[in-house]
């Protein structure tokens, strides 16, 4: 059995220190919004008349597939290059320092985009943004999980990734509002301001992170790794222990941190080879690889990145319809991702990922059948609409299950010594997946049309099998206790085994413990 602690009865979650941690997590949350905004804004911005006229002196920039593909994919290229500096920055400057550095880099990239009408310089700007984005999207979730109180760590880490929609929703609203304004004024958006405004807003998200980081604490795990134990104790007493010096969470957390760092001390953590050394670490790295590819190839890329093509297949072809649908789907996705985030501790990570992926297989099978019928006879509008509805159902399920866990699960399964490097590897794989989809999958979509959707049926079925056989359950464990799962000969069985739940209570400075057994 594994002993885990229930802190609900002895913690005041409205204490000033708690509110400061909520604020810290809120600031980190904007790192996810940065990524969501950029990815959402560019695919629609490329259809803008003003953007095309500014850079290629033609209104349809997206029609120039070579230029569009390069300008779109260069963000991932920048992120891939940035992955090799993640550990250096995050482990060297700290999690908070990495968020500051990444935000500054993004602001520089946005500034370059705004002052140029030369496509080459615009592409360099997007490369710089990509380099900065990977710094904040690796340090952001790591910081959130490391500073959050154990009792709401799962919710904080899960909510982090829902920030993607907080970036995507304003992006789609800005684009829809701009289009309607231009249409109402019988105006073709030929001025550069029409594309500069949406791009400039991106810097605002980074500005929030940059300024907010000046008022939030550094990760206690990073401080402990640097030997600054007194600062760690002060952090735990104030932010987790309600300013009670002998609060049980202080000594419990410090002991677990010391033990974890001592266990990891023999590892060659300075090298990325640490991710491939030993059975336990190889198991974790295998899960990272699976998370990266399963999340990207589940079908969200086609459903979101190719919304224009997908919606057109179902009969929604006007620009206003496309932008309106984008606003609606992003709002719905945000609602479902928040709902999923609130239930990660109740349902469990493994359960959500497995049943969510099974649901993907069902959705894509129905979508494939609907597309076949509709494309053979477009007069069957009801079939086309039902197929489109199933696309939305898929996105709801993805938002409910995978969106909250994309950032949380990788951080949880990694030990401290390999956390920055592991998150960098995860982002590297995600960005490689993005480039493959941009340059390879797009040919499949163009060549096979709706038939290409069969790939998602097969791939998700494969993913469901792997999740069932190999994914561990991290529900209820502290970050340090998760190590015990991977050190076992059967990590999945160990993660689902019976645990001793200790409920520690503080009463006038004394600690009383109650235990109960649960099987998960």
């Amino acid at each position: 059995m594994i002993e885990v602690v229930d802190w609900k009865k002895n913690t005041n979650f409205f204490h000033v220190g708690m509110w400061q941690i909520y604020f810290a997590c809120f600031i980190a949350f904007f790192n996810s919004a940065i990524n969501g905004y950029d990815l959402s804004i560019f695919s629609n911005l490329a259809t803008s008349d003003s953007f095309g006229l500014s850079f290629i002196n033609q209104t349809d920039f997206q029609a120039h597939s070579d230029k569009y593909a390069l300008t779109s994919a260069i963000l991932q290229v920048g992120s891939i290059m940035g992955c090799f500096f993640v550990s250096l920055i995050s482990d060297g400057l700290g999690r908070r320092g990495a968020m500051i550095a990444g935000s500054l880099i993004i602001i520089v990239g946005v500034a370059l985009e705004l002052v140029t009408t030369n496509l080459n310089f615009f592409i360099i700007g997007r490369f710089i943004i990509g380099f900065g984005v990977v710094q904040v999207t690796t340090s952001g979730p790591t910081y959130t999980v490391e500073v959050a109180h154990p009792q709401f760590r799962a919710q904080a880490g899960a909510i982090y990734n829902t920030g993607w929609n907080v970036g995507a929703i304003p992006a789609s609203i800005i684009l829809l509002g701009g289009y309607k304004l231009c249409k109402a004024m019988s105006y073709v958006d030929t001025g550069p301001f029409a594309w500069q405004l949406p791009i400039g807003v991106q810097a605002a998200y980074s500005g929030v992170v940059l300024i907010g980081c000046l008022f939030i604490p550094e990760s206690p795990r990073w401080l402990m790794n640097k030997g600054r134990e007194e600062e760690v104790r002060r952090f735990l007493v104030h932010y987790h222990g309600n300013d009670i010096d002998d609060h049980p969470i202080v000594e419990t957390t410090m002991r677990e941190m010391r033990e974890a760092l001592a266990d990891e001390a023999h590892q060659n953590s300075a090298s990325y080879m640490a991710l491939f050394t030993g059975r336990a670490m190889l198991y974790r790295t295998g899960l990272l690889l699976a998370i990266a590819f399963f999340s990207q190839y589940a079908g969200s890329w086609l459903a979101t990145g190719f919304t224009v093509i997908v919606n057109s297949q179902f009969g929604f072809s006007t620009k206003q319809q496309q932008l309106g649908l984008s606003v609606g789907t992003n709002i719905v996705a945000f609602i479902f991702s928040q709902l999923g985030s609130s239930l990660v501790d109740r349902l469990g990570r493994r359960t959500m990922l497995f049943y969510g992926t099974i649901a993907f297989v069902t959705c894509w099978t129905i979508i494939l059948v609907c597309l076949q019928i509709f494309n053979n006879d477009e007069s069957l509008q009801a079939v086309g609409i039902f197929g489109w509805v199933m696309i939305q159902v898929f996105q709801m399920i993805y938002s409910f299950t995978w969106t909250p866990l994309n950032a949380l699960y990788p951080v949880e399964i990694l030990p401290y010594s390999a956390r920055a490097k592991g998150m960098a590897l995860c982002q590297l794989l995600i960005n490689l997946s993005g480039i493959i989809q941009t340059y390879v999958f797009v040919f499949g979509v163009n060549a096979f049309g709706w038939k290409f959707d069969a790939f998602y049926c097969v791939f998700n079925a494969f993913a469901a099998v792997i999740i069932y056989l190999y994914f561990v359950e991290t529900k209820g464990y502290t970050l340090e206790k998760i190590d015990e799962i991977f050190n076992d000969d059967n990590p999945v069985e160990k993660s689902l085994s019976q645990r001793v739940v200790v409920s520690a209570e503080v009463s006038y400075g004394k600690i009383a413990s109650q235990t109960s057994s649960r099987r998960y």
Side-chain angles (χ1 to χ4, degrees):
M1 292 190 217
I2 296 179
E3 183 182 287
V4 296
V5 183
D6 183 356
W7 300 108
K8 289 179 183 176
K9 295 182 180 180
N10 66 345
T11 305
N12 176 12
F13 291 100
F14 295 97
H15 182 269
V16 62
M18 287 294 179
W19 283 106
Q20 289 170 324
I21 287 297
Y22 301 151
F23 175 74
C25 292
F26 177 72
I27 293 300
F29 174 83
F30 275 88
N31 291 304
S32 182
I34 291 169
N35 198 29
Y37 185 88
D38 184 90
L39 292 175
S40 297
I41 204 76
F42 184 74
S43 60
N44 287 291
L45 196 64
T47 65
S48 166
D49 293 340
S50 66
F51 188 84
L53 288 170
S54 295
F55 289 101
I56 61 172
N57 203 32
Q58 295 181 35
T59 57
D60 194 355
F61 181 81
Q62 208 167 28
H64 295 261
S65 57
D66 55 337
K67 292 182 175 64
Y68 173 72
L70 175 61
T71 311
S72 177
I74 198 67
L75 188 83
Q76 279 84 25
V77 176
S79 292
I80 289 171
M81 293 298 296
C83 286
F84 298 101
F85 295 86
V86 164
S87 179
L88 179 67
I89 295 173
S90 187
D91 288 340
L93 300 179
R95 314 312 194 202
R96 186 181 66 165
M99 290 192 288
I100 292 173
S103 298
L104 284 170
I105 293 170
I106 291 170
I107 291 172
V108 170
V110 171
L112 180 58
E113 287 183 334
L114 290 175
V115 299
T116 186
T117 54
N118 182 294
L119 185 59
N120 292 329
F121 282 107
F122 187 87
I123 289 172
I124 293 172
R126 281 186 61 75
F127 176 89
I128 294 172
I129 291 172
F131 191 96
V133 163
V134 78
Q135 309 308 322
V136 299
T137 53
T138 51
S139 59
T142 302
Y143 176 85
T144 300
V145 171
E146 289 184 351
V147 303
H149 188 283
Q151 202 64 45
F152 63 82
R153 186 197 78 223
Q155 286 78 13
I159 288 173
Y160 168 84
N161 209 45
T162 67
W164 197 96
N165 296 111
V166 174
I169 291 170
S172 53
I173 290 175
I174 288 170
L175 289 165
L176 177 61
Y179 173 79
K180 285 190 172 183
L181 179 63
C182 292
K183 187 175 180 182
M185 298 174 64
S186 299
Y187 170 70
V188 178
D189 55 335
T190 55
F193 186 74
W195 61 264
Q196 288 173 336
L197 175 62
I199 286 178
V201 171
Q202 184 177 11
Y205 287 99
S206 296
V208 170
V209 175
L210 183 62
I211 296 171
C213 280
L214 302 177
F215 303 97
I216 61 177
E218 182 53 84
S219 161
R221 268 103 183 155
W222 183 81
L223 293 172
M224 179 65 80
N225 189 54
K226 297 299 181 182
R228 294 154 64 173
E229 286 202 20
E230 190 53 41
E231 292 178 61
V232 176
R233 177 174 289 279
R234 287 199 299 268
F235 175 99
L236 294 172
V237 169
H238 179 62
Y239 295 108
H240 289 184
N242 299 158
D243 283 323
I244 301 172
D245 288 336
D246 60 351
H247 194 292
I249 198 172
V250 177
E251 282 306 324
T252 298
T253 305
M254 291 197 71
R255 183 183 70 251
E256 290 181 352
M257 286 184 187
R258 292 190 195 104
E259 290 173 354
L261 290 175
D263 289 341
E264 297 168 20
H266 68 281
Q267 299 176 5
N268 182 21
S269 58
S271 168
Y272 275 90
M273 287 307 297
L275 295 171
F276 305 95
T277 304
R279 183 192 60 81
M281 198 63 238
L282 280 171
Y283 197 108
R284 299 179 201 244
T285 303
L287 292 182
L288 278 182
L289 188 149
I291 281 284
F293 285 109
F294 292 175
S295 65
Q296 295 304 298
Y297 295 154
S300 60
W301 170 81
L302 184 67
T304 56
F306 274 73
T307 50
V308 173
I309 294 174
V310 172
N311 290 334
S312 295
Q313 287 176 340
F314 290 113
F316 302 101
S317 55
T318 69
K319 190 171 183 178
Q320 184 165 331
Q321 284 177 330
Q322 299 280 359
L323 293 173
L325 288 171
S326 179
V327 174
T329 54
N330 283 327
I331 291 174
V332 171
F334 177 71
I335 293 171
F336 274 82
S337 63
Q338 290 295 317
L339 180 60
S341 298
S342 68
L343 295 173
V344 289
D345 258 349
R346 181 174 299 180
L347 300 177
R349 287 58 148 169
R350 171 185 160 91
T351 300
M352 290 178 67
L353 293 175
F354 175 70
Y355 286 105
T357 305
I358 289 292
F360 296 163
V361 178
T362 305
C363 287
W364 283 111
T365 302
I366 295 172
I367 291 165
L368 193 65
V369 172
C370 288
L371 279 169
Q372 181 180 14
I373 296 172
F374 182 71
N375 278 272
N376 288 336
D377 186 355
E378 294 188 2
S379 65
L380 299 174
Q381 291 292 321
V383 176
I385 292 173
F386 183 72
W388 180 86
V389 168
M390 289 307 300
I391 286 276
Q392 312 315 310
V393 170
F394 161 79
Q395 294 199 76
M396 292 174 194
I397 297 171
Y398 186 92
S399 299
F400 181 83
T401 55
W402 277 85
T403 296
L405 296 174
N406 274 343
L408 172 64
Y409 196 72
V411 175
E412 287 186 326
I413 64 175
L414 288 165
Y416 175 83
S417 61
R419 195 163 289 148
K421 297 177 183 65
M423 290 300 290
L425 176 63
C426 189
Q427 286 297 317
L428 175 66
L429 295 172
I430 286 172
N431 282 289
L432 283 173
S433 299
I435 290 178
I436 291 171
Q437 290 180 122
T438 300
Y439 280 100
V440 179
F441 279 29
V442 68
F443 293 108
V445 173
N446 291 332
F448 299 103
W450 59 268
K451 296 177 184 177
F452 185 77
D453 295 356
F455 167 82
Y456 298 111
C457 300
V458 176
F459 185 84
N460 282 306
F462 167 76
V465 172
I466 298 300
I467 291 169
Y468 181 79
L469 293 176
Y470 299 107
F471 274 45
V472 301
E473 180 56 72
T474 59
K475 169 186 171 182
Y477 294 103
T478 63
L479 291 176
E480 287 71 30
K481 283 289 183 182
I482 290 173
D483 288 346
E484 296 184 29
I485 295 174
F486 291 99
N487 291 332
D488 194 81
D489 291 335
N490 191 330
V492 174
E493 184 178 337
K494 182 72 171 179
S495 71
L496 299 173
S497 66
Q498 194 173 40
R499 312 174 196 177
V500 176
V501 181
V502 180
S503 178
E505 300 184 32
V506 176
S507 178
Y508 303 106
K510 297 181 179 180
I511 303 171
S513 296
Q514 299 175 338
T515 64
S516 63
S517 296
R518 299 178 191 169
R519 178 174 175 82
Y520 292 82

